[in-house]
Amino acid sequence: VSTVLLSPMHMRRRRGRLGLSAVDFGRLLGVTAQTIYNWEQEASRPRAEQLARIAALRKLGKRDAQNILQAAGDTQEAA
């Protein structure tokens, strides 16, 4: 995983390309919206396990992201 891939600017752009709020982007990564903002502002850095999740998002398109979020929402509502 390269440093460029995980730069704060890259994360903001990726979130924008997916059309996601910080809340939803965080849901995909298993973190809070505040964590997303902190990463984007360089106030903190992702941990190793989070870096792997971020790298995996490169393969997602808007529909994929929305489908995952919808499925997760359905699961949460059923619980």
Side-chain angles (χ1 to χ4, degrees), residues 2 5 7 23 33 39 41 62 69 72:
S2 73
L5 165 68
S7 73
V23 171
W39 291 345
Q41 298 300 315
K62 282 185 179 184
L69 290 168

Side-chain angles (χ1 to χ4, degrees), residues 7 10 12-13 17-20 22 26 29 36 44 49-50 54-58 62-64 69 72-73 75 79:
S7 73
H10 174 272
R12 276 193 300 272
R13 283 184 181 167
R17 285 185 187 133
L18 291 173
L20 298 175
L29 296 171
I36 299 298
S44 65
E49 68 183 48
Q50 296 159 336
I54 294 166
L57 288 182
R58 291 179 67 194
K62 282 185 179 184
R63 281 190 199 144
D64 297 324
L69 290 168
T75 301

